[in-house]
Amino acid sequence: MSAAEPGEAFRQSALNECAAIAAALSWASDPHPAIHSARKAIRRLRSLLALLQHAALDVETADLGLKRLGDGLSRLRDAHVVVEVARHLQERDADRRWNGVIRMLVLRRDGLLQATLQRDPGFARRLRVLAAVQQQLAVQPWHQLRRGSLRRNLERSWRRVDKAAARAKRDGGAAAVHRWRRRVRRLRMQLDIACDLQLHVHSRSLHAAGHRYKALHRLSDELGRQQDLRLLRNLVRAMPASDDKRSVMQQINGEVAPD
């Protein structure tokens, strides 16, 4: 890739992510982790497209399709992740009191998947949405992409993270923390994309000290972990009362950061 032409690398990366989403949604043998993988690929692709805002490309329609696709998979992803979080907490402390809770979480997860597949067998409708997104991206004038717009959008992502962090620390509300988490995650993915594609765009985001880059990853991971713990806590809280539930709630509350 020449220094003046990042478009081809971006085009190939975008189409690769479309292929990854399609492969995940077609993975029938183990659908729960596949759905999780599809959601990750959707987030990576939307992060890439966010780097193209105000450029010569028109990716708004494709991004909207991806947002709807990701939103439609969010409940399935969350239902699987809380099972995984619960199993991790159980295995770490070898606590059998998790057994009943995990059984109910698995039944809920599998029921949600079954209901979704009844409405959309084989995720055929979602795959058609993805095919339309892929076509929209394939015909974009990628050769017109310039590094200046990439640099400006990386800087914009840093500002959005800083602003969201200040707001989350100021009011501490769940919505503000969630917004902060999403913006941190997007910036982290954009930095990964820039590094993977070797985009030397002279942004502070790529010339920042290594410890700041690593700190962003740690922050993204911890905010995501806290979000998943809160999802788990809300589901367990709604379960019938029992001694095992009380013990499990105590353990979860010990893991969740203060609101």
Side-chain angles (χ1 to χ4, degrees):
M1 177 180 66
S2 73
E5 297 177 355
E8 176 56 28
F10 265 76
R11 184 191 71 84
Q12 191 58 57
S13 182
L15 296 181
N16 286 345
E17 293 295 357
C18 286
I21 299 166
L25 292 179
S26 303
W27 189 14
S29 61
D30 198 0
H32 296 297
I35 291 166
H36 196 179
S37 296
R39 285 267 298 171
K40 287 182 178 179
I42 290 168
R43 287 197 297 265
R44 287 195 302 268
L45 182 49
R46 293 195 67 211
S47 297
L48 183 152
L49 297 183
L51 283 173
L52 310 180
Q53 291 183 14
H54 311 300
L57 283 66
D58 180 8
V59 297
E60 183 176 352
T61 301
D63 183 64
L64 181 59
L66 289 167
K67 182 180 186 303
R68 290 173 176 167
L69 187 61
D71 289 347
L73 296 171
S74 62
R75 288 190 72 202
L76 298 177
R77 175 268 177 199
D78 291 347
H80 173 64
V81 166
V82 292
V83 171
E84 295 300 298
V85 173
R87 285 174 172 165
H88 171 73
L89 293 175
Q90 180 189 42
E91 292 169 2
R92 191 186 64 188
D93 295 342
D95 191 342
R96 294 183 178 179
R97 288 173 291 188
W98 277 94
N99 288 345
V101 168
I102 291 175
R103 185 163 53 251
M104 294 179 70
L105 292 172
V106 168
L107 288 172
R108 176 181 179 273
R109 178 195 68 179
D110 293 348
L112 285 172
L113 177 61
Q114 183 179 9
T116 300
L117 290 175
Q118 286 176 347
R119 295 190 299 269
D120 185 16
F123 293 129
R125 179 176 57 81
R126 289 170 170 82
L127 288 169
R128 287 195 296 271
V129 171
L130 178 63
V133 168
Q134 185 172 0
Q135 178 61 26
Q136 290 160 8
L137 295 178
V139 300
Q140 293 297 316
W142 293 96
H143 63 280
Q144 296 186 36
L145 182 61
R146 294 294 178 264
R147 292 172 183 272
S149 62
L150 303 178
R151 180 177 63 249
R152 289 190 294 273
N153 286 321
L154 275 173
E155 293 288 358
R156 178 174 177 267
S157 288
W158 273 112
R159 291 194 298 271
R160 286 167 63 86
V161 166
D162 292 341
K163 183 177 179 180
R167 183 170 181 178
K169 293 173 183 178
R170 185 171 60 250
D171 64 36
V177 172
H178 184 59
R179 185 182 302 107
W180 181 29
R181 178 182 69 86
R182 287 189 286 107
R183 290 184 178 177
V184 167
R185 183 179 63 200
R186 171 161 288 189
L187 175 58
R188 185 200 69 187
M189 289 183 173
Q190 289 176 335
L191 291 172
D192 289 342
I193 290 165
C195 289
D196 289 345
L197 299 183
Q198 299 179 352
L199 298 177
H200 306 294
V201 295
H202 306 294
S203 167
R204 66 165 175 150
S205 54
L206 294 182
H207 290 272
H211 73 273
R212 186 177 186 190
Y213 182 76
K214 293 177 181 178
L216 188 73
H217 275 260
R218 289 194 298 270
L219 175 61
S220 177
D221 289 343
E222 180 57 24
L223 289 173
R225 176 176 176 271
Q226 288 295 320
Q227 173 71 8
D228 293 337
L229 284 166
R230 287 183 169 87
L231 288 171
L232 176 61
R233 182 174 64 180
N234 290 341
L235 289 171
V236 174
R237 182 181 286 152
M239 293 179 181
S242 68
D243 290 340
D244 288 351
K245 172 186 171 179
R246 188 177 303 109
S247 173
V248 165
M249 283 295 294
Q250 289 175 351
Q251 185 178 355
I252 297 171
N253 287 330
E255 298 284 333
V256 175
D259 293 325

